[in-house]
Amino acid sequence: MEAVAEGLWGLADYHEKKGEIGKTVKCLEAICQSHSSFLPIVEVKTRLRLATLLLRHSHNVNHAKSHLERSQLLLNSIPSCFDLKCRTYSLLSQCYHLVGAIPPQKQILYKALHLTSAAAPDVSAKLWCCNFNSQLANALIIEGDYQNSISTLESGYVIATQIFYPELQMFFVASILHVRLLMQWDDQTANEVEQALQRCDQVWETMPSDRRADCLGLLFYNELLHIFYRLRVSDYKNAVKHVDKLDAAMKQDSKNVHQQTSTGNDSLEPTYFGNVKRALKDKLFLAPPPINGEWLPKSAVFALVDLMVIIFGRPKGNFKECDKRIQSGMHIIKEELVKLGITDDVREVDLKHSAIWMAGVYLMLLMQFLENKVAVELTRSEFLQAQEALVEMKNWFIRFPTILQACESIFEMLRGQYSHSVGCYNEAAYHYVEAAKKTESKSMQIMCQAYAAISYFCVGDAESSSQALDLIGPVYRLKDSFVGIREEASILFAYGLLLMKQQDLQEARNRLAKGLQLAHVQMGNLQLVSQYLTILGNLALALHDTGQAREILRSSLTLAKKLGDIPTQIWVLSVLTGLFQQLGERGNEMENDEYRRKKIDDLQSKLADARSSIYHIELIDKVKLQVQQYQEIDMKRTMAGESMRVNLDIPESVGLSTPMPVQSSSRLLDLDTGRRGKRKL
């Protein structure tokens, strides 16, 4: 019978080389379904190959899982076959992960680790041990057991150190940083995260430069984690160098791939778990075999780099580059969504379980690109384009409400920003308050309360001013205990407006000056600086410091023009008109007022177009977003919700990638604030 098996294996090889996967599977299934008995080792090898083919070329995870479970039972009666057992355990663990069966996944991984611990302490056994530790850490993360996940990753690091494998050492220390930074942030000291960061730097620097050059996946992973850390601690200036480094690496890799493709060197390697086949050039491996893991597919990583360029370019007014990156990133993401089977008529209920994780990656990225597009368009008073992006966000959310659950508060907040931009302040305040209710993020709640307070100030009546005080007063008193730089800047702006309302001009000046320093020195946000300068110029004028008022307002106008920010320009020009009136500079007053009227006409034209749009009322209306509930996908809801809750999973062992962090979305928002209808939030 062994000769029959050899013949069928050979025929399977022939069909696989021709790309005839269906015929390949039939050859192998003939062995498994035969009425004649084959040796257990023959059946195990056949089923293992079948499972691998199914995972690479189909969505038939359960069928692959059945083959692997049968192989595991057969291997129990065989004392040797260490490598076969490890391969079976590794793939079976991945199948359990795909179907959301975490307890049996952990069970098989503990069994695998016991096998490696009892084996001879050679390099092969230790590499498999690293594989299983990586997968176990991932399973523990999904259960929210972060501390044991870190302990498991530390075990992997120790083994990698024993075999003098710096790439694997880097893989594990970066994964530990990932857990501490993106999942355990609130449960530890900043010092612990800083130590994990420094450890990554130390291990990376110990790697020979030629080996670092071959670790592109680790480079992107490490640098992106550094950027996320800098964003967390509001160290925007030091984050930029990491963004520039990644952008240069991305461009160089794209150039290399183009040259490689043009020479015909473009071998294909199917990825696991029903994802589309991707060329080796399209992968960013994090670790050597038998891990071969990716954090995210290269397309997602490159889209994420584009997103980082936008995040740091938008506050500086680099809108042309932002436009290019938004278009590029969204094009990449939508292509990948189509490959996952997500076409115009597909909803969350239609997704295969194995596609949920990757769908989450790309859908969250897409929403963040759209979020930034809204911000750019509102800054330029391009209200129709902002409407289109908001409606697209709404439509994606309605189709995928569980995967995009974390985006609901972001969407409500953006509705508030749009409403404020078009002068609908009551509606804006409503949406900000609703956004604060829909998030557990303390940072997001603070930002929304500050925005709502400013909108209430813009309404202008006594009741609204009282509501603004109720929102901003408690937050301001507690700000030193829990807020970051960005949140503090928004609170100081709103509190400065409150003090101006109360005619406490000197104290308002002090608070706003502190906010300006934060916006300029630590955030580097030109739009926010322009807004702070405008209100400080107004204050200087109220305090009869005309020399300083003139200097400040000219700086603000220069920045507003650079940003194409029409409302701020109008605001500055209005204050300048008052300044020239005080100084009796009639010529400057008339010239200034003529320019102001031109800008007002431009803005009014854009506002008229926005208000006549079919989307305008839908976006500003005080109506909560209605989402259809799908009772039949409770399992999918559990898995998607869990993945969103734990943010980014650490890299997996064979190639499946996992969702984006939900908190990162709230970090993308800058403070775009104003007063009396002259500004947008």
Side-chain angles (χ1 to χ4, degrees):
M1 292 304 295
E2 282 64 40
V4 175
E6 291 286 354
L8 287 169
W9 283 348
L11 190 58
D13 289 340
Y14 170 78
H15 287 305
E16 187 174 8
K17 287 176 182 176
K18 293 181 66 177
E20 299 171 339
I21 304 302
K23 292 180 180 179
T24 306
V25 169
K26 286 182 179 179
C27 291
L28 298 173
E29 284 183 338
I31 297 174
C32 301
Q33 296 168 359
S34 173
H35 295 295
S36 303
S37 296
F38 288 92
L39 290 173
I41 192 68
V42 172
E43 187 175 345
V44 167
K45 289 181 178 180
T46 303
R47 290 185 182 276
L48 185 59
R49 185 172 174 188
L50 262 171
T52 303
L53 283 169
L54 290 169
L55 291 171
R56 284 180 172 177
H57 298 284
S58 79
H59 290 282
N60 207 337
V61 180
N62 283 316
H63 197 180
K65 179 168 72 70
S66 297
H67 281 300
L68 293 167
E69 287 172 337
R70 174 63 180 164
S71 296
Q72 183 200 184
L73 290 174
L74 291 169
L75 286 167
N76 286 338
S77 62
I78 303 175
S80 55
C81 300
F82 174 78
D83 189 64
L84 270 181
K85 288 180 179 179
C86 287
R87 288 168 59 198
T88 300
Y89 293 154
S90 180
L91 277 180
L92 183 54
S93 164
Q94 295 291 343
C95 286
Y96 284 138
H97 176 88
L98 271 176
V99 299
I102 304 304
Q105 183 191 14
K106 288 168 58 182
Q107 185 178 12
I108 200 71
L109 288 170
Y110 285 128
K111 185 175 182 179
L113 285 168
H114 177 74
L115 173 69
T116 58
S117 66
D122 57 17
V123 172
S124 175
K126 290 184 181 296
L127 284 172
W128 277 114
C129 190
C130 287
N131 174 305
F132 299 134
N133 274 306
S134 169
Q135 293 197 63
L136 179 58
N138 210 29
L140 291 167
I141 285 170
I142 291 172
E143 292 187 327
D145 189 354
Y146 305 133
Q147 200 54 52
N148 279 324
S149 173
I150 289 175
S151 298
T152 303
L153 292 168
E154 288 286 3
S155 298
Y157 173 76
V158 169
I159 295 165
T161 304
Q162 290 172 355
I163 57 177
F164 305 103
Y165 216 138
E167 291 91 340
L168 271 179
Q169 290 175 276
M170 187 65 202
F171 169 82
F172 283 109
V173 295
S175 297
I176 291 167
L177 172 61
H178 191 148
V179 179
R180 290 199 179 279
L181 175 60
L182 298 177
M183 300 167 194
Q184 259 202 323
W185 182 265
D186 296 329
D187 302 325
Q188 61 197 332
T189 65
N191 187 48
E192 288 176 297
V193 182
E194 183 69 39
Q195 288 176 350
L197 197 79
Q198 291 173 357
R199 193 179 183 192
C200 284
D201 291 338
Q202 291 166 359
V203 174
W204 183 254
E205 289 302 320
T206 61
M207 290 175 62
S209 58
D210 58 329
R211 293 177 74 165
R212 285 205 302 265
D214 294 330
C215 298
L216 192 61
L218 278 174
L219 169 69
F220 278 93
Y221 188 38
N222 185 43
E223 291 297 321
L224 281 166
L225 288 173
H226 276 66
I227 293 168
F228 295 155
Y229 172 74
R230 296 300 168 193
L231 285 169
R232 286 273 187 168
V233 298
S234 302
D235 186 3
Y236 302 101
K237 289 191 174 180
N238 282 320
V240 171
K241 63 183 180 183
H242 296 286
V243 176
D244 292 343
K245 186 175 182 180
L246 282 184
D247 196 33
M250 180 177 73
K251 290 174 180 176
Q252 184 60 49
D253 181 72
S254 298
K255 181 180 178 181
N256 294 343
V257 168
H258 177 73
Q259 292 173 346
Q260 183 184 53
T261 305
S262 63
T263 60
N265 185 12
D266 190 21
S267 59
L268 284 176
E269 170 64 23
T271 189
Y272 287 92
F273 310 123
N275 290 331
V276 182
K277 287 197 302 183
R278 288 187 285 128
L280 289 174
K281 64 182 177 59
D282 293 328
K283 291 192 171 189
L284 286 173
F285 289 117
L286 288 179
I291 292 183
N292 285 342
E294 291 180 292
W295 172 42
L296 297 171
K298 185 187 284 189
S299 59
V301 172
F302 282 9
L304 191 53
V305 173
D306 278 337
L307 190 61
M308 294 299 108
V309 173
I310 294 165
I311 290 170
F312 289 95
R314 180 166 62 81
K316 294 179 172 60
N318 300 331
F319 294 150
K320 185 175 181 180
E321 183 66 19
C322 289
D323 287 340
K324 185 176 76 172
R325 300 296 182 126
I326 289 171
Q327 184 178 4
S328 166
M330 289 178 61
H331 177 74
I332 290 170
I333 292 166
K334 289 181 178 179
E335 279 192 335
E336 295 296 333
L337 288 174
V338 170
K339 291 176 185 177
L340 286 170
I342 299 177
T343 52
D344 291 343
D345 57 343
V346 172
R347 291 174 172 261
E348 191 172 78
V349 67
D350 305 314
L351 287 180
K352 293 180 174 65
H353 201 292
S354 58
I356 288 177
W357 298 83
M358 280 313 307
V361 171
Y362 289 112
L363 288 170
M364 289 295 290
L365 272 171
L366 179 59
M367 294 294 270
Q368 291 176 9
F369 275 102
L370 287 168
E371 175 189 333
N372 277 271
K373 181 172 176 57
V374 172
V376 169
E377 302 300 0
L378 288 180
T379 299
R380 299 187 295 201
S381 300
E382 298 294 347
F383 304 123
L384 293 178
Q385 286 84 343
Q387 286 179 1
E388 290 175 4
L390 281 166
V391 170
E392 186 173 350
M393 286 184 77
K394 183 199 75 170
N395 291 338
W396 283 108
F397 178 74
I398 289 173
R399 288 169 58 194
F400 300 93
T402 304
I403 292 175
L404 297 177
Q405 186 177 5
C407 297
E408 187 174 10
S409 63
I410 298 294
F411 178 70
E412 279 298 316
M413 192 206 64
L414 291 173
R415 288 178 77 183
Q417 290 190 337
Y418 171 79
S419 300
H420 191 101
S421 297
V422 296
C424 301
Y425 306 122
N426 273 311
E427 290 85 352
Y430 169 85
H431 291 301
Y432 289 135
V433 171
E434 284 299 310
K437 292 177 183 176
K438 294 179 184 297
T439 180
E440 296 179 2
S441 164
K442 186 72 71 175
S443 170
M444 184 69 172
Q445 290 169 356
I446 291 168
M447 298 295 286
C448 288
Q449 285 178 284
Y451 291 157
I454 294 167
S455 291
Y456 278 130
F457 280 135
C458 290
V459 174
D461 58 36
E463 182 183 354
S464 298
S465 296
S466 176
Q467 288 173 302
L469 177 59
D470 291 341
L471 282 170
I472 205 64
V475 174
Y476 180 80
R477 287 191 290 272
L478 296 173
K479 69 178 178 62
D480 292 333
S481 62
F482 58 77
V483 302
I485 299 300
R486 192 171 55 93
E487 295 82 3
E488 186 174 2
S490 67
I491 293 170
L492 286 169
F493 195 97
Y495 195 67
L497 288 177
L498 172 63
L499 292 171
M500 289 177 66
K501 282 273 188 181
Q502 296 173 341
Q503 296 301 308
D504 191 350
L505 301 186
Q506 191 56 55
E507 186 62 22
R509 196 181 201 180
N510 294 338
R511 295 288 179 264
L512 291 166
K514 182 179 180 183
L516 172 62
Q517 185 179 22
L518 294 176
H520 176 59
V521 177
Q522 294 185 257
M523 295 175 66
N525 186 325
L526 297 188
Q527 187 175 25
L528 187 52
V529 168
S530 175
Q531 294 160 13
Y532 264 111
L533 286 173
T534 306
I535 197 169
L536 281 166
N538 195 13
L539 265 173
L541 184 59
L543 294 168
H544 306 292
D545 189 347
T546 54
Q548 188 181 56
R550 186 194 294 266
E551 183 181 341
I552 291 174
L553 292 168
R554 280 180 173 171
S555 298
S556 178
L557 186 59
T558 299
L559 290 177
K561 286 180 177 179
K562 172 181 170 59
L563 296 165
D565 187 347
I566 298 175
T568 294
Q569 290 181 54
I570 294 171
W571 184 16
V572 178
L573 292 166
S574 299
V575 182
L576 277 171
T577 296
L579 171 65
F580 295 140
Q581 286 174 347
Q582 276 197 23
L583 296 174
E585 298 180 6
R586 181 63 178 165
N588 284 338
E589 179 188 343
M590 292 178 64
E591 182 182 350
N592 183 80
D593 200 52
E594 182 181 353
Y595 184 62
R596 181 181 68 88
R597 289 179 183 279
K598 181 180 180 300
K599 287 297 175 184
I600 289 175
D601 289 342
D602 290 346
L603 183 60
Q604 289 304 319
S605 175
K606 291 175 180 288
L607 286 171
D609 290 341
R611 289 165 181 158
S612 64
S613 164
I614 59 173
Y615 302 126
H616 175 71
I617 297 299
E618 174 187 337
L619 290 172
I620 69 168
D621 206 10
K622 295 183 180 180
V623 176
K624 297 178 183 178
L625 196 59
Q626 298 299 315
V627 178
Q628 181 179 354
Q629 300 298 317
Y630 299 110
Q631 299 299 328
E632 63 268 34
I633 56 166
D634 288 343
M635 169 75 164
K636 292 182 182 179
R637 287 184 169 280
T638 300
M639 287 302 297
E642 194 69 24
S643 68
M644 291 297 102
R645 184 176 67 79
V646 300
N647 304 317
L648 291 163
D649 277 348
I650 64 167
E652 297 188 52
S653 301
V654 192
L656 182 71
S657 306
T658 46
M660 285 291 301
V662 298
Q663 281 97 337
S664 70
S665 184
S666 65
R667 288 198 304 272
L668 307 187
L669 304 166
D670 292 318
L671 177 63
D672 301 324
T673 52
R675 63 192 279 272
R676 304 188 195 281
K678 303 295 186 185
R679 261 314 304 142
K680 67 179 74 62
L681 290 184

